Amino acid sequence: MKKIIALLVCIILAVTCFAGCSGSADDGKYTIGICQIVKHDALDAATKGFKDAVIEALGEENVTFIEQDAANNPDTCVTIVNDFVTKKVDLILANATPALQAAYNATETIPILGTSVTEYGVALGIDNFSGTVGANVSGTSDLAPLTEQAQMILDLVPTAKTVGILYCSAEPNSAYQAKEVKAYLEGKSITVKEFKFAGSEDVAMVSETAASECDALYIPTDNTAASCAETINGVVAPKKVPIIAGEAGICKGCGIATLSISYEQLGRVTGEMAVKILKGEADISEMAIQYDDKPVKKYNADICKELGIAAPEGYEPLS
């Protein structure tokens, strides 16, 4: 009898210990780890939208966010998400591609939601990507229609014969966007040159070369460029070379116009997905990547004025 009682006690202790390892087990309280590659307006807005949506659905008292900024260092992302795994968080939000890649490699069990990720197939090395990652990964994409962005260059700078595409060589999603935009422009008989910087330390030098050789520039959704938008503007603006940007944050810093999504709304959609996963209402392996299907054309009034470009018809001013 004593052996039976001892066995029962062991079973009870094991179950109690297991339940204590996961905030989502029985008490309705959750811990979410947030890894954001770098601080800038677009990514900050996505994180805010995510947190707002989760808090509204679950209650602020029921959610603990462990929020970490990787300072634009992919290796730091690895350290951050490994710590989340050690802490056995209930869900990981990976804000931007390097954060997603780090989380994807760190765990096969904790649900991972990406946001501000342009193309999941490229980011995760998935050939013939169907729109659903499967396993423990899903999320939202910040991809705006690239051919429409490319056409904006032709519409707003009709005299441009040579267009430069400026982006960070360490960001695979930027390379993907550059490839698509280049193909479109070359199909319109435009000469396209690619200018790649390795990191923030050579942004100014590469930007100056690009501005010297081109009639207009295109900067895709790129985290390093977003963090260095004012630096880019300081180099390019004196040369009077207009920039079309892949998102509003970059456009605000150095561009004349963008076809951009709402990152805050993208974050909210990701948060709504998180709530369904945490409450057991959806299987993350079956959740397709979500997109903002209502991108908005916006222009930078200050930079347009500096370059003598009239406010484009049908565009909203950047706030």
Side-chain angles (χ1 to χ4, degrees):
M1 178 63 71
K2 289 182 180 180
K3 290 183 178 179
I4 294 174
I5 292 173
L7 180 60
L8 289 172
V9 169
C10 288
I11 292 172
I12 291 169
L13 287 173
V15 170
T16 302
C17 180
F18 177 78
C21 290
S22 175
S24 61
D26 295 309
D27 58 5
K29 295 186 181 297
Y30 308 92
T31 299
I32 297 176
I34 300 176
C35 179
Q36 181 172 317
I37 181 61
V38 68
K39 298 284 290 182
H40 67 67
D41 289 348
L43 301 189
D44 292 349
T47 293
K48 179 183 183 300
F50 175 84
K51 292 172 66 177
D52 287 349
V54 171
I55 289 170
E56 288 171 15
L58 299 178
E60 188 170 7
E61 70 281 4
N62 294 320
V63 186
T64 299
F65 296 103
I66 306 175
E67 193 170 346
Q68 298 289 341
D69 166 25
N72 210 24
N73 187 331
D75 291 337
T76 303
C77 287
V78 174
T79 301
I80 290 169
V81 297
N82 282 336
D83 182 57
F84 291 163
V85 173
T86 299
K87 287 183 167 67
K88 299 182 180 179
V89 299
D90 298 299
L91 184 140
I92 295 172
L93 174 70
N95 194 341
T97 298
L100 176 68
Q101 292 169 328
Y104 181 73
N105 290 323
T107 177
E108 296 179 354
T109 55
I110 297 174
I112 300 165
L113 287 176
T115 192
S116 314
V117 176
T118 303
E119 218 287 331
Y120 281 73
V122 171
L124 301 179
I126 302 172
D127 295 331
N128 302 315
F129 181 58
S130 66
T132 301
V133 177
N136 62 321
V137 180
S138 189
T140 55
S141 168
D142 60 1
L143 183 64
L146 294 174
T147 56
E148 292 181 38
Q149 288 187 351
Q151 183 60 44
M152 287 169 60
I153 302 170
L154 306 181
D155 293 342
L156 299 178
V157 195
T159 58
K161 302 298 182 184
T162 302
V163 173
I165 303 180
L166 182 67
Y167 65 97
C168 180
S169 59
E171 299 190 31
N173 281 310
S174 298
Y176 168 78
Q177 295 169 82
K179 177 182 177 183
E180 296 296 311
V181 170
K182 181 180 180 180
Y184 182 88
L185 292 175
E186 288 180 339
K188 301 291 184 179
S189 300
I190 300 294
T191 299
V192 179
K193 297 183 178 181
E194 294 186 43
F195 299 88
K196 306 173 188 178
F197 43 83
S200 57
E201 65 280 354
D202 61 342
V203 165
M205 179 182 67
V206 175
S207 298
E208 184 168 9
T209 301
S212 298
E213 297 182 11
C214 301
D215 305 312
L217 299 178
Y218 171 74
I219 302 177
T221 302
D222 183 286
N223 292 310
T224 306
S227 299
C228 300
E230 292 184 4
T231 298
I232 295 170
N233 188 57
V235 172
V236 175
K239 296 182 180 296
K240 303 296 183 181
V241 176
I243 296 173
I244 304 298
E247 56 94 3
I250 297 174
C251 188
K252 188 176 181 179
C254 63
I256 62 168
T258 183
L259 176 64
S260 184
I261 64 164
S262 165
Y263 277 82
E264 185 168 352
Q265 178 58 27
L266 199 69
R268 290 192 66 89
V269 172
T270 317
E272 292 166 359
M273 295 171 73
V275 171
K276 291 178 181 178
I277 293 165
L278 292 171
K279 294 175 72 174
E281 297 174 354
D283 181 348
I284 189 171
S285 68
E286 299 176 354
M287 299 177 82
I289 302 303
Q290 301 294 304
Y291 298 81
D292 183 343
D293 59 358
K294 296 179 180 178
V296 178
K297 290 182 177 180
K298 295 186 177 183
Y299 74 98
N300 186 323
D302 292 337
I303 294 181
C304 281
K305 183 177 180 180
E306 290 174 9
L307 297 180
I309 297 174
E313 185 176 351
Y315 285 66
E316 297 180 3
L318 282 169
S319 57

